[in-house]
Amino acid sequence: TSLFLDKLGYVMYRNNSTNEEKKILIGRSVYFLNYVSFSYDSRYLAFAAKMKRDDFRFSEDGVFVLYDLKEDKEIIRQDHGQDLYAVWMTMFSKDGNVAYYDSRSNAYIATKDSGYKKIEEIEGKSLLCFSPSGKYIAFSDQNYIDYTHHPNANWGHQPSGNIFIHSMNDVKTCLEHFNDFGDGIVGVVSRAGSVASAAFSCDERRLMAVGDDGVVVIRNLHIEDDEYICDYP
């Protein structure tokens, strides 16, 4: 499938084998469409957005939608009415679970086995990646302080170098925690000390993380050795 966005607050998708095009309503006051992802089998589409309720800096509204492309219907629509703030990322695991997180740094995971009716909330976490099998997930704890409540303070994106490894069997329990990003590379103007992205190795024994300043760190993991190293509350 191919993905487009028009000016009226819709996501438009196209079946590349038939050229059929359809639209999914985001909302009537979209400020940012932050992220769109497809499931591995191309049946589901998920998107994350920030809505413009009034003035940009005073708007906190977010929306997440999981859409069934085969049945042509919404499976999940979660928005500010369900205490959801601006949503920044969506991702699918290989086994069909879908995750997303909002600007308060609260992550959510809807499980395929429940027909996406069960949604786990993991407070204080932002998303990094699923492992290749979908058995593990890596979080950080980056968030966003809104202008409304902190106009004279350090509002905006709050970086962090923390990385947390969790198991999908008990997604609220941290197995490993580490932070490998320090003062950064001399002369590079960036948010040093902050993780930008991460990825598991194919055998899920290592994790590669990239800092905002370009530093790359590869760590051995011990998640299958019962050598859990989580010193974070």
Side-chain angles (χ1 to χ4, degrees):
T1 40
S2 295
L3 179 73
F4 306 90
L5 174 69
D6 70 19
K7 295 180 180 179
L8 298 177
Y10 292 89
V11 170
M12 182 171 69
Y13 65 93
R14 179 177 66 202
N15 186 316
N16 286 337
S17 60
T18 65
N19 286 325
E20 180 184 22
E21 295 181 351
K22 293 186 178 181
K23 293 181 178 180
I24 306 170
L25 178 67
I26 304 172
R28 293 299 183 186
S29 57
V30 182
Y31 204 87
F32 294 116
L33 177 65
N34 287 322
Y35 216 91
V36 180
S37 57
F38 289 97
S39 62
Y40 279 68
D41 61 4
S42 295
R43 174 164 179 170
Y44 298 98
L45 178 152
F47 66 78
K50 174 182 172 68
M51 311 304 287
K52 185 178 181 182
R53 183 179 65 242
D54 37 50
D55 181 76
F56 160 60
R57 289 184 176 177
F58 293 88
S59 178
E60 302 171 334
D61 298 20
V63 61
F64 168 81
V65 167
L66 175 65
Y67 198 85
D68 188 330
L69 300 175
K70 181 178 180 181
E71 299 294 331
D72 195 21
K73 65 179 183 181
E74 286 184 356
I75 304 299
I76 300 172
R77 177 176 282 266
Q78 186 179 357
D79 55 28
H80 198 63
Q82 290 83 44
D83 202 28
L84 191 70
Y85 287 70
V87 187
W88 297 106
M89 181 187 288
T90 73
M91 64 177 68
F92 285 88
S93 65
K94 190 174 182 179
D95 50 1
N97 298 320
V98 61
Y100 51 105
Y101 81 99
D102 69 7
S103 58
R104 297 174 305 162
S105 187
N106 286 340
Y108 301 84
I109 301 176
T111 56
K112 184 178 181 180
D113 288 346
S114 70
Y116 298 110
K117 294 180 180 179
K118 180 181 178 182
I119 301 177
E120 292 269 15
E121 180 179 358
I122 303 92
E123 295 183 355
K125 296 295 189 294
S126 56
L127 296 175
L128 289 174
C129 61
F130 279 107
S131 67
S133 70
K135 185 177 179 181
Y136 301 103
I137 185 168
F139 296 106
S140 187
D141 55 357
Q142 300 179 24
N143 64 351
Y144 186 91
I145 294 178
D146 62 275
Y147 181 83
T148 306
H149 297 101
H150 304 275
N152 299 315
N154 184 27
W155 65 276
H157 176 75
Q158 305 298 304
S160 172
N162 284 319
I163 296 176
F164 309 92
I165 309 297
H166 290 224
S167 169
M168 285 299 297
N169 290 328
D170 182 9
V171 74
K172 294 187 178 182
T173 300
C174 173
L175 304 182
E176 289 198 48
H177 161 242
F178 40 87
N179 188 331
D180 295 314
F181 300 101
D183 296 332
I185 298 175
V186 176
V188 177
V189 179
S190 181
R191 295 193 295 263
S194 182
V195 59
S197 62
F200 286 83
S201 61
C202 291
D203 62 3
E204 302 180 345
R205 304 292 293 174
R206 294 176 177 84
L207 185 88
M208 180 178 71
V210 182
D212 270 350
D213 56 1
V215 172
V216 177
V217 177
I218 299 176
R219 260 192 178 259
N220 292 322
L221 300 177
H222 305 281
I223 46 183
E224 290 191 353
D225 300 334
D226 292 327
E227 296 180 17
Y228 301 154
I229 312 169
C230 191
D231 56 357
Y232 205 81

